Amino acid sequence: MLKLENALVWLVSAGAMLGLWGIENNAQAQRAKVPLETLAQLDSFSQLYADYDGRKLRLDLYRPKKRTKPLPAIVCIHGGGWRNGDRGSQTAVAQTLAAHGYVAVTITYRLRDEAIFPAAIQDCKAAVRWLRANATRLGVDPERIGATGLSAGGHLAALLATSGDIEELEGDGGNAGFSSTIQACVACGAQSDLESERIQGLSRRPQDPFYQGFLGGTFDDVPKQYAFASPRHHLDADDPPLVFVTGQNDDPSTHAVVIREELSQKKIPTNLLVIPDAPHAFLGTQKFFDEYIEFATDFFDSHLKRGTNK
């Protein structure tokens, strides 16, 4: 009887997870709208930022047309369970942040069926280094770069925040002489501890749709992969302000309770916004999108525009 109950719990849990990721993919076709008058204020272009032996990775950049000084930059990272999705799902986020006085980029990164971890985070770091290497041409303040993302993108954004300049995760995406550190992060719907008992258990399931494919095996097979992919694993006192956003209907693990406690202990600014009635993939609903943008811009303004990072 116990085995049957455990199986039912797994089916419910797995179904809920698949539903959340499915909602995220569907939401990409239901993106929030950016007013035309906002778009008219922006410059935009697409640019190659990394080349791995012919595998070219591109980003889309948005910035205010009227600029009098270098602006902080924000890297916007899409979700999709590390297995699908594209940078277009972060377009409205980047455009809206740009309208608030940022150079915002949406990036393509290698998905798990092309290259397992650490490829995805190496690509994110390559994008940060590219921004610094081209800061003068782009009008970017290289000392003030942030990141945000949803779901898998939220996880990668949080990992950017805690693993700056860790050699094993840097990769060879170019501009090796520049730092991959960031100065502020808003992680949405993110897993922050891939060594947790919950994720260990999920990884052992034969039908695991996420972690085995992303990390190359179960937790028992490749524990170092789970450690190095965990934002919490790299946390130290030099990390930048890191806050979390989640929908009320998302899994409680996205509340990042443990890592927020540890951030607070290290005197690193942190916070959590729970958006009422919102699902895992909330960016496709205008009112949820607007709540996130208000929170994110206030946070980024505080830490990328106003004085020091902490």
mmCIF file of all heavy atoms in Angstrom, residues 13-59:
data_model
loop_
_atom_site.group_PDB
_atom_site.id
_atom_site.type_symbol
_atom_site.label_atom_id
_atom_site.label_comp_id
_atom_site.label_asym_id
_atom_site.label_seq_id
_atom_site.Cartn_x
_atom_site.Cartn_y
_atom_site.Cartn_z
ATOM 1 N N SER A 13 3.126 14.909 -8.291
ATOM 2 C CA SER A 13 4.230 15.861 -8.319
ATOM 3 C C SER A 13 4.761 16.062 -9.723
ATOM 4 O O SER A 13 4.965 17.180 -10.178
ATOM 5 C CB SER A 13 5.363 15.362 -7.403
ATOM 6 O OG SER A 13 6.472 16.197 -7.484
ATOM 7 N N ALA A 14 4.980 14.936 -10.425
ATOM 8 C CA ALA A 14 5.508 15.039 -11.785
ATOM 9 C C ALA A 14 4.527 15.743 -12.700
ATOM 10 O O ALA A 14 4.903 16.571 -13.525
ATOM 11 C CB ALA A 14 5.823 13.646 -12.328
ATOM 12 N N GLY A 15 3.247 15.432 -12.536
ATOM 13 C CA GLY A 15 2.238 16.090 -13.365
ATOM 14 C C GLY A 15 2.204 17.573 -13.122
ATOM 15 O O GLY A 15 2.085 18.375 -14.046
ATOM 16 N N ALA A 16 2.328 17.966 -11.852
ATOM 17 C CA ALA A 16 2.338 19.391 -11.527
ATOM 18 C C ALA A 16 3.545 20.078 -12.150
ATOM 19 O O ALA A 16 3.452 21.165 -12.707
ATOM 20 C CB ALA A 16 2.359 19.578 -10.005
ATOM 21 N N MET A 17 4.711 19.415 -12.056
ATOM 22 C CA MET A 17 5.918 20.013 -12.625
ATOM 23 C C MET A 17 5.809 20.155 -14.131
ATOM 24 O O MET A 17 6.115 21.199 -14.690
ATOM 25 C CB MET A 17 7.141 19.154 -12.285
ATOM 26 C CG MET A 17 7.547 19.201 -10.832
ATOM 27 S SD MET A 17 8.990 18.176 -10.550
ATOM 28 C CE MET A 17 10.220 19.052 -11.496
ATOM 29 N N LEU A 18 5.358 19.076 -14.781
ATOM 30 C CA LEU A 18 5.220 19.152 -16.231
ATOM 31 C C LEU A 18 4.210 20.211 -16.628
ATOM 32 O O LEU A 18 4.378 20.912 -17.621
ATOM 33 C CB LEU A 18 4.803 17.785 -16.779
ATOM 34 C CG LEU A 18 5.921 16.730 -16.770
ATOM 35 C CD1 LEU A 18 5.336 15.358 -17.073
ATOM 36 C CD2 LEU A 18 7.004 17.068 -17.775
ATOM 37 N N GLY A 19 3.156 20.347 -15.811
ATOM 38 C CA GLY A 19 2.163 21.377 -16.083
ATOM 39 C C GLY A 19 2.758 22.763 -16.000
ATOM 40 O O GLY A 19 2.501 23.625 -16.829
ATOM 41 N N LEU A 20 3.613 22.970 -14.983
ATOM 42 C CA LEU A 20 4.241 24.274 -14.829
ATOM 43 C C LEU A 20 5.123 24.606 -16.012
ATOM 44 O O LEU A 20 5.080 25.704 -16.558
ATOM 45 C CB LEU A 20 5.083 24.288 -13.538
ATOM 46 C CG LEU A 20 4.311 24.218 -12.219
ATOM 47 C CD1 LEU A 20 5.277 24.137 -11.051
ATOM 48 C CD2 LEU A 20 3.389 25.411 -12.060
ATOM 49 N N TRP A 21 5.949 23.640 -16.442
ATOM 50 C CA TRP A 21 6.824 23.904 -17.573
ATOM 51 C C TRP A 21 6.020 24.055 -18.853
ATOM 52 O O TRP A 21 6.362 24.835 -19.725
ATOM 53 C CB TRP A 21 7.853 22.792 -17.707
ATOM 54 C CG TRP A 21 8.791 22.733 -16.559
ATOM 55 C CD1 TRP A 21 8.734 21.872 -15.500
ATOM 56 C CD2 TRP A 21 9.912 23.576 -16.300
ATOM 57 N NE1 TRP A 21 9.757 22.128 -14.623
ATOM 58 C CE2 TRP A 21 10.487 23.156 -15.084
ATOM 59 C CE3 TRP A 21 10.480 24.641 -16.997
ATOM 60 C CZ2 TRP A 21 11.612 23.775 -14.547
ATOM 61 C CZ3 TRP A 21 11.598 25.244 -16.449
ATOM 62 C CH2 TRP A 21 12.148 24.804 -15.242
ATOM 63 N N GLY A 22 4.932 23.296 -18.971
ATOM 64 C CA GLY A 22 4.089 23.443 -20.146
ATOM 65 C C GLY A 22 3.447 24.814 -20.195
ATOM 66 O O GLY A 22 3.366 25.445 -21.256
ATOM 67 N N ILE A 23 3.023 25.299 -19.044
ATOM 68 C CA ILE A 23 2.458 26.646 -18.974
ATOM 69 C C ILE A 23 3.494 27.668 -19.394
ATOM 70 O O ILE A 23 3.209 28.625 -20.102
ATOM 71 C CB ILE A 23 1.960 26.938 -17.538
ATOM 72 C CG1 ILE A 23 0.699 26.109 -17.254
ATOM 73 C CG2 ILE A 23 1.655 28.420 -17.360
ATOM 74 C CD1 ILE A 23 0.292 26.153 -15.795
ATOM 75 N N GLU A 24 4.753 27.451 -18.972
ATOM 76 C CA GLU A 24 5.805 28.399 -19.343
ATOM 77 C C GLU A 24 5.961 28.458 -20.853
ATOM 78 O O GLU A 24 6.067 29.537 -21.442
ATOM 79 C CB GLU A 24 7.136 27.976 -18.715
ATOM 80 C CG GLU A 24 8.275 28.881 -19.116
ATOM 81 C CD GLU A 24 9.578 28.478 -18.477
ATOM 82 O OE1 GLU A 24 9.574 27.554 -17.658
ATOM 83 O OE2 GLU A 24 10.593 29.093 -18.811
ATOM 84 N N ASN A 25 5.970 27.289 -21.497
ATOM 85 C CA ASN A 25 6.124 27.278 -22.948
ATOM 86 C C ASN A 25 4.931 27.930 -23.629
ATOM 87 O O ASN A 25 5.084 28.681 -24.582
ATOM 88 C CB ASN A 25 6.295 25.840 -23.442
ATOM 89 C CG ASN A 25 7.603 25.239 -22.976
ATOM 90 O OD1 ASN A 25 8.575 25.956 -22.757
ATOM 91 N ND2 ASN A 25 7.644 23.935 -22.797
ATOM 92 N N ASN A 26 3.710 27.639 -23.153
ATOM 93 C CA ASN A 26 2.526 28.262 -23.741
ATOM 94 C C ASN A 26 2.527 29.764 -23.537
ATOM 95 O O ASN A 26 2.065 30.525 -24.390
ATOM 96 C CB ASN A 26 1.251 27.663 -23.120
ATOM 97 C CG ASN A 26 1.051 26.219 -23.533
ATOM 98 O OD1 ASN A 26 1.541 25.787 -24.561
ATOM 99 N ND2 ASN A 26 0.334 25.468 -22.710
ATOM 100 N N ALA A 27 3.064 30.195 -22.402
ATOM 101 C CA ALA A 27 3.061 31.631 -22.101
ATOM 102 C C ALA A 27 3.922 32.418 -23.072
ATOM 103 O O ALA A 27 3.744 33.619 -23.228
ATOM 104 C CB ALA A 27 3.552 31.872 -20.667
ATOM 105 N N GLN A 28 4.861 31.729 -23.735
ATOM 106 C CA GLN A 28 5.693 32.446 -24.686
ATOM 107 C C GLN A 28 4.867 32.990 -25.851
ATOM 108 O O GLN A 28 5.275 33.923 -26.530
ATOM 109 C CB GLN A 28 6.804 31.533 -25.192
ATOM 110 C CG GLN A 28 7.775 31.153 -24.080
ATOM 111 C CD GLN A 28 9.022 30.513 -24.618
ATOM 112 O OE1 GLN A 28 9.361 30.669 -25.777
ATOM 113 N NE2 GLN A 28 9.727 29.800 -23.776
ATOM 114 N N ALA A 29 3.710 32.388 -26.082
ATOM 115 C CA ALA A 29 2.825 32.893 -27.136
ATOM 116 C C ALA A 29 1.834 33.913 -26.590
ATOM 117 O O ALA A 29 1.004 34.434 -27.325
ATOM 118 C CB ALA A 29 2.088 31.730 -27.786
ATOM 119 N N GLN A 30 1.912 34.186 -25.282
ATOM 120 C CA GLN A 30 0.985 35.112 -24.642
ATOM 121 C C GLN A 30 1.770 36.156 -23.851
ATOM 122 O O GLN A 30 1.539 36.369 -22.675
ATOM 123 C CB GLN A 30 0.051 34.331 -23.708
ATOM 124 C CG GLN A 30 -0.738 33.240 -24.416
ATOM 125 C CD GLN A 30 -1.514 32.389 -23.443
ATOM 126 O OE1 GLN A 30 -1.535 32.654 -22.245
ATOM 127 N NE2 GLN A 30 -2.160 31.358 -23.933
ATOM 128 N N ARG A 31 2.727 36.784 -24.512
ATOM 129 C CA ARG A 31 3.607 37.709 -23.826
ATOM 130 C C ARG A 31 2.910 39.022 -23.524
ATOM 131 O O ARG A 31 2.023 39.448 -24.261
ATOM 132 C CB ARG A 31 4.852 37.948 -24.678
ATOM 133 C CG ARG A 31 5.662 36.673 -24.877
ATOM 134 C CD ARG A 31 6.675 36.812 -25.987
ATOM 135 N NE ARG A 31 7.208 35.480 -26.314
ATOM 136 C CZ ARG A 31 7.817 35.175 -27.443
ATOM 137 N NH1 ARG A 31 7.966 36.093 -28.378
ATOM 138 N NH2 ARG A 31 8.269 33.962 -27.661
ATOM 139 N N ALA A 32 3.355 39.656 -22.455
ATOM 140 C CA ALA A 32 2.822 40.966 -22.117
ATOM 141 C C ALA A 32 3.149 41.951 -23.232
ATOM 142 O O ALA A 32 4.131 41.800 -23.963
ATOM 143 C CB ALA A 32 3.422 41.435 -20.794
ATOM 144 N N LYS A 33 2.333 42.962 -23.357
ATOM 145 C CA LYS A 33 2.498 43.944 -24.431
ATOM 146 C C LYS A 33 3.291 45.150 -23.941
ATOM 147 O O LYS A 33 3.109 45.619 -22.815
ATOM 148 C CB LYS A 33 1.131 44.380 -24.959
ATOM 149 C CG LYS A 33 0.326 43.248 -25.591
ATOM 150 C CD LYS A 33 -0.978 43.775 -26.170
ATOM 151 C CE LYS A 33 -1.821 42.632 -26.730
ATOM 152 N NZ LYS A 33 -1.117 41.909 -27.804
ATOM 153 N N VAL A 34 4.155 45.637 -24.814
ATOM 154 C CA VAL A 34 4.915 46.851 -24.533
ATOM 155 C C VAL A 34 4.328 47.958 -25.391
ATOM 156 O O VAL A 34 4.203 47.798 -26.616
ATOM 157 C CB VAL A 34 6.405 46.654 -24.857
ATOM 158 C CG1 VAL A 34 7.181 47.934 -24.574
ATOM 159 C CG2 VAL A 34 6.970 45.486 -24.066
ATOM 160 N N PRO A 35 3.930 49.091 -24.814
ATOM 161 C CA PRO A 35 3.301 50.161 -25.591
ATOM 162 C C PRO A 35 4.182 50.640 -26.740
ATOM 163 O O PRO A 35 5.412 50.698 -26.622
ATOM 164 C CB PRO A 35 3.092 51.275 -24.550
ATOM 165 C CG PRO A 35 3.056 50.560 -23.239
ATOM 166 C CD PRO A 35 4.004 49.416 -23.376
ATOM 167 N N LEU A 36 3.554 50.993 -27.852
ATOM 168 C CA LEU A 36 4.287 51.455 -29.020
ATOM 169 C C LEU A 36 5.102 52.698 -28.714
ATOM 170 O O LEU A 36 6.207 52.880 -29.244
ATOM 171 C CB LEU A 36 3.313 51.730 -30.170
ATOM 172 C CG LEU A 36 2.632 50.500 -30.777
ATOM 173 C CD1 LEU A 36 1.645 50.934 -31.862
ATOM 174 C CD2 LEU A 36 3.664 49.535 -31.348
ATOM 175 N N GLU A 37 4.576 53.572 -27.852
ATOM 176 C CA GLU A 37 5.322 54.777 -27.516
ATOM 177 C C GLU A 37 6.595 54.449 -26.736
ATOM 178 O O GLU A 37 7.594 55.170 -26.805
ATOM 179 C CB GLU A 37 4.457 55.761 -26.721
ATOM 180 C CG GLU A 37 3.839 55.189 -25.452
ATOM 181 C CD GLU A 37 2.440 54.631 -25.690
ATOM 182 O OE1 GLU A 37 2.162 54.169 -26.807
ATOM 183 O OE2 GLU A 37 1.635 54.661 -24.729
ATOM 184 N N THR A 38 6.576 53.337 -25.996
ATOM 185 C CA THR A 38 7.783 52.878 -25.310
ATOM 186 C C THR A 38 8.802 52.362 -26.315
ATOM 187 O O THR A 38 9.988 52.709 -26.260
ATOM 188 C CB THR A 38 7.444 51.771 -24.296
ATOM 189 O OG1 THR A 38 6.578 52.296 -23.293
ATOM 190 C CG2 THR A 38 8.709 51.227 -23.638
ATOM 191 N N LEU A 39 8.344 51.542 -27.254
ATOM 192 C CA LEU A 39 9.246 50.988 -28.264
ATOM 193 C C LEU A 39 9.880 52.091 -29.102
ATOM 194 O O LEU A 39 11.043 51.974 -29.525
ATOM 195 C CB LEU A 39 8.490 50.011 -29.165
ATOM 196 C CG LEU A 39 7.900 48.777 -28.475
ATOM 197 C CD1 LEU A 39 7.159 47.915 -29.480
ATOM 198 C CD2 LEU A 39 8.995 47.981 -27.777
ATOM 199 N N ALA A 40 9.137 53.163 -29.341
ATOM 200 C CA ALA A 40 9.660 54.262 -30.161
ATOM 201 C C ALA A 40 10.830 54.966 -29.486
ATOM 202 O O ALA A 40 11.601 55.671 -30.160
ATOM 203 C CB ALA A 40 8.540 55.260 -30.454
ATOM 204 N N GLN A 41 10.990 54.775 -28.186
ATOM 205 C CA GLN A 41 12.072 55.428 -27.449
ATOM 206 C C GLN A 41 13.362 54.613 -27.451
ATOM 207 O O GLN A 41 14.374 55.050 -26.905
ATOM 208 C CB GLN A 41 11.641 55.653 -25.997
ATOM 209 C CG GLN A 41 10.400 56.512 -25.837
ATOM 210 C CD GLN A 41 9.879 56.508 -24.404
ATOM 211 O OE1 GLN A 41 10.577 56.104 -23.476
ATOM 212 N NE2 GLN A 41 8.637 56.945 -24.227
ATOM 213 N N LEU A 42 13.331 53.432 -28.077
ATOM 214 C CA LEU A 42 14.444 52.498 -27.949
ATOM 215 C C LEU A 42 15.181 52.275 -29.262
ATOM 216 O O LEU A 42 14.583 52.249 -30.330
ATOM 217 C CB LEU A 42 13.941 51.143 -27.434
ATOM 218 C CG LEU A 42 13.145 51.134 -26.133
ATOM 219 C CD1 LEU A 42 12.684 49.718 -25.820
ATOM 220 C CD2 LEU A 42 13.961 51.716 -24.986
ATOM 221 N N ASP A 43 16.499 52.080 -29.143
ATOM 222 C CA ASP A 43 17.298 51.488 -30.204
ATOM 223 C C ASP A 43 17.353 49.987 -29.956
ATOM 224 O O ASP A 43 17.309 49.536 -28.796
ATOM 225 C CB ASP A 43 18.734 52.028 -30.179
ATOM 226 C CG ASP A 43 18.826 53.446 -30.703
ATOM 227 O OD1 ASP A 43 18.029 53.796 -31.590
ATOM 228 O OD2 ASP A 43 19.694 54.192 -30.216
ATOM 229 N N SER A 44 17.495 49.203 -31.018
ATOM 230 C CA SER A 44 17.629 47.758 -30.843
ATOM 231 C C SER A 44 18.415 47.174 -32.000
ATOM 232 O O SER A 44 18.377 47.686 -33.117
ATOM 233 C CB SER A 44 16.254 47.085 -30.745
ATOM 234 O OG SER A 44 15.528 47.222 -31.951
ATOM 235 N N PHE A 45 19.136 46.102 -31.716
ATOM 236 C CA PHE A 45 19.822 45.366 -32.764
ATOM 237 C C PHE A 45 20.197 43.983 -32.248
ATOM 238 O O PHE A 45 20.226 43.726 -31.048
ATOM 239 C CB PHE A 45 21.076 46.107 -33.258
ATOM 240 C CG PHE A 45 22.122 46.382 -32.208
ATOM 241 C CD1 PHE A 45 23.087 45.437 -31.893
ATOM 242 C CD2 PHE A 45 22.149 47.605 -31.543
ATOM 243 C CE1 PHE A 45 24.053 45.692 -30.937
ATOM 244 C CE2 PHE A 45 23.111 47.874 -30.589
ATOM 245 C CZ PHE A 45 24.072 46.914 -30.281
ATOM 246 N N SER A 46 20.460 43.077 -33.190
ATOM 247 C CA SER A 46 20.892 41.722 -32.875
ATOM 248 C C SER A 46 22.394 41.622 -33.102
ATOM 249 O O SER A 46 22.937 42.258 -34.009
ATOM 250 C CB SER A 46 20.155 40.722 -33.759
ATOM 251 O OG SER A 46 20.546 39.396 -33.455
ATOM 252 N N GLN A 47 23.068 40.821 -32.282
ATOM 253 C CA GLN A 47 24.530 40.790 -32.319
ATOM 254 C C GLN A 47 25.025 39.389 -31.954
ATOM 255 O O GLN A 47 24.493 38.744 -31.041
ATOM 256 C CB GLN A 47 25.090 41.804 -31.313
ATOM 257 C CG GLN A 47 26.590 41.850 -31.208
ATOM 258 C CD GLN A 47 27.221 42.579 -32.374
ATOM 259 O OE1 GLN A 47 26.843 43.701 -32.686
ATOM 260 N NE2 GLN A 47 28.192 41.951 -33.018
ATOM 261 N N LEU A 48 26.061 38.926 -32.629
ATOM 262 C CA LEU A 48 26.757 37.706 -32.241
ATOM 263 C C LEU A 48 27.578 37.995 -30.993
ATOM 264 O O LEU A 48 28.289 39.000 -30.937
ATOM 265 C CB LEU A 48 27.680 37.260 -33.382
ATOM 266 C CG LEU A 48 28.561 36.039 -33.141
ATOM 267 C CD1 LEU A 48 27.715 34.771 -33.136
ATOM 268 C CD2 LEU A 48 29.638 35.960 -34.214
ATOM 269 N N TYR A 49 27.479 37.120 -29.973
ATOM 270 C CA TYR A 49 28.280 37.365 -28.779
ATOM 271 C C TYR A 49 29.227 36.222 -28.436
ATOM 272 O O TYR A 49 30.155 36.394 -27.631
ATOM 273 C CB TYR A 49 27.387 37.693 -27.566
ATOM 274 C CG TYR A 49 26.733 36.509 -26.888
ATOM 275 C CD1 TYR A 49 27.388 35.804 -25.886
ATOM 276 C CD2 TYR A 49 25.448 36.107 -27.224
ATOM 277 C CE1 TYR A 49 26.791 34.726 -25.247
ATOM 278 C CE2 TYR A 49 24.840 35.046 -26.594
ATOM 279 C CZ TYR A 49 25.518 34.354 -25.606
ATOM 280 O OH TYR A 49 24.911 33.288 -24.975
ATOM 281 N N ALA A 50 29.021 35.039 -29.011
ATOM 282 C CA ALA A 50 29.932 33.921 -28.759
ATOM 283 C C ALA A 50 29.911 32.995 -29.963
ATOM 284 O O ALA A 50 28.886 32.857 -30.643
ATOM 285 C CB ALA A 50 29.546 33.168 -27.491
ATOM 286 N N ASP A 51 31.035 32.334 -30.202
ATOM 287 C CA ASP A 51 31.159 31.408 -31.335
ATOM 288 C C ASP A 51 31.975 30.208 -30.873
ATOM 289 O O ASP A 51 33.154 30.331 -30.564
ATOM 290 C CB ASP A 51 31.840 32.105 -32.511
ATOM 291 C CG ASP A 51 31.847 31.246 -33.773
ATOM 292 O OD1 ASP A 51 31.626 30.025 -33.676
ATOM 293 O OD2 ASP A 51 32.079 31.807 -34.849
ATOM 294 N N TYR A 52 31.305 29.043 -30.791
ATOM 295 C CA TYR A 52 31.974 27.818 -30.389
ATOM 296 C C TYR A 52 32.183 26.943 -31.625
ATOM 297 O O TYR A 52 31.330 26.136 -31.977
ATOM 298 C CB TYR A 52 31.136 27.054 -29.358
ATOM 299 C CG TYR A 52 30.889 27.800 -28.074
ATOM 300 C CD1 TYR A 52 29.720 28.539 -27.900
ATOM 301 C CD2 TYR A 52 31.796 27.757 -27.025
ATOM 302 C CE1 TYR A 52 29.467 29.209 -26.712
ATOM 303 C CE2 TYR A 52 31.558 28.435 -25.839
ATOM 304 C CZ TYR A 52 30.396 29.155 -25.687
ATOM 305 O OH TYR A 52 30.153 29.817 -24.516
ATOM 306 N N ASP A 53 33.316 27.133 -32.297
ATOM 307 C CA ASP A 53 33.634 26.332 -33.477
ATOM 308 C C ASP A 53 32.471 26.291 -34.461
ATOM 309 O O ASP A 53 32.064 25.227 -34.936
ATOM 310 C CB ASP A 53 34.021 24.906 -33.071
ATOM 311 C CG ASP A 53 35.302 24.867 -32.242
ATOM 312 O OD1 ASP A 53 36.201 25.694 -32.510
ATOM 313 O OD2 ASP A 53 35.391 24.029 -31.334
ATOM 314 N N GLY A 54 31.936 27.452 -34.749
ATOM 315 C CA GLY A 54 30.859 27.545 -35.717
ATOM 316 C C GLY A 54 29.464 27.590 -35.124
ATOM 317 O O GLY A 54 28.507 27.929 -35.826
ATOM 318 N N ARG A 55 29.312 27.250 -33.833
ATOM 319 C CA ARG A 55 28.008 27.388 -33.169
ATOM 320 C C ARG A 55 27.916 28.818 -32.670
ATOM 321 O O ARG A 55 28.528 29.207 -31.680
ATOM 322 C CB ARG A 55 27.872 26.406 -32.012
ATOM 323 C CG ARG A 55 26.597 26.597 -31.180
ATOM 324 C CD ARG A 55 25.335 26.445 -32.038
ATOM 325 N NE ARG A 55 24.152 26.323 -31.178
ATOM 326 C CZ ARG A 55 23.272 27.298 -30.961
ATOM 327 N NH1 ARG A 55 23.441 28.482 -31.561
ATOM 328 N NH2 ARG A 55 22.225 27.092 -30.180
ATOM 329 N N LYS A 56 27.152 29.623 -33.400
ATOM 330 C CA LYS A 56 27.100 31.051 -33.117
ATOM 331 C C LYS A 56 25.913 31.371 -32.205
ATOM 332 O O LYS A 56 24.788 30.958 -32.470
ATOM 333 C CB LYS A 56 26.992 31.836 -34.425
ATOM 334 C CG LYS A 56 28.163 31.579 -35.381
ATOM 335 C CD LYS A 56 28.010 32.377 -36.659
ATOM 336 C CE LYS A 56 29.091 31.997 -37.664
ATOM 337 N NZ LYS A 56 30.441 32.260 -37.154
ATOM 338 N N LEU A 57 26.190 32.096 -31.145
ATOM 339 C CA LEU A 57 25.157 32.506 -30.203
ATOM 340 C C LEU A 57 24.908 34.003 -30.351
ATOM 341 O O LEU A 57 25.854 34.801 -30.385
ATOM 342 C CB LEU A 57 25.574 32.193 -28.760
ATOM 343 C CG LEU A 57 25.819 30.719 -28.442
ATOM 344 C CD1 LEU A 57 26.200 30.563 -26.979
ATOM 345 C CD2 LEU A 57 24.587 29.867 -28.763
ATOM 346 N N ARG A 58 23.644 34.377 -30.404
ATOM 347 C CA ARG A 58 23.274 35.772 -30.629
ATOM 348 C C ARG A 58 22.503 36.317 -29.432
ATOM 349 O O ARG A 58 21.911 35.564 -28.635
ATOM 350 C CB ARG A 58 22.431 35.908 -31.899
ATOM 351 C CG ARG A 58 23.103 35.363 -33.154
ATOM 352 C CD ARG A 58 22.356 35.755 -34.398
ATOM 353 N NE ARG A 58 22.509 37.182 -34.695
ATOM 354 C CZ ARG A 58 23.550 37.684 -35.370
ATOM 355 N NH1 ARG A 58 24.511 36.901 -35.822
ATOM 356 N NH2 ARG A 58 23.623 38.976 -35.600
ATOM 357 N N LEU A 59 22.494 37.620 -29.344
ATOM 358 C CA LEU A 59 21.674 38.319 -28.370
ATOM 359 C C LEU A 59 20.944 39.458 -29.069
ATOM 360 O O LEU A 59 21.360 39.927 -30.130
ATOM 361 C CB LEU A 59 22.511 38.827 -27.196
ATOM 362 C CG LEU A 59 23.709 39.749 -27.448
ATOM 363 C CD1 LEU A 59 23.299 41.177 -27.765
ATOM 364 C CD2 LEU A 59 24.657 39.722 -26.258
#
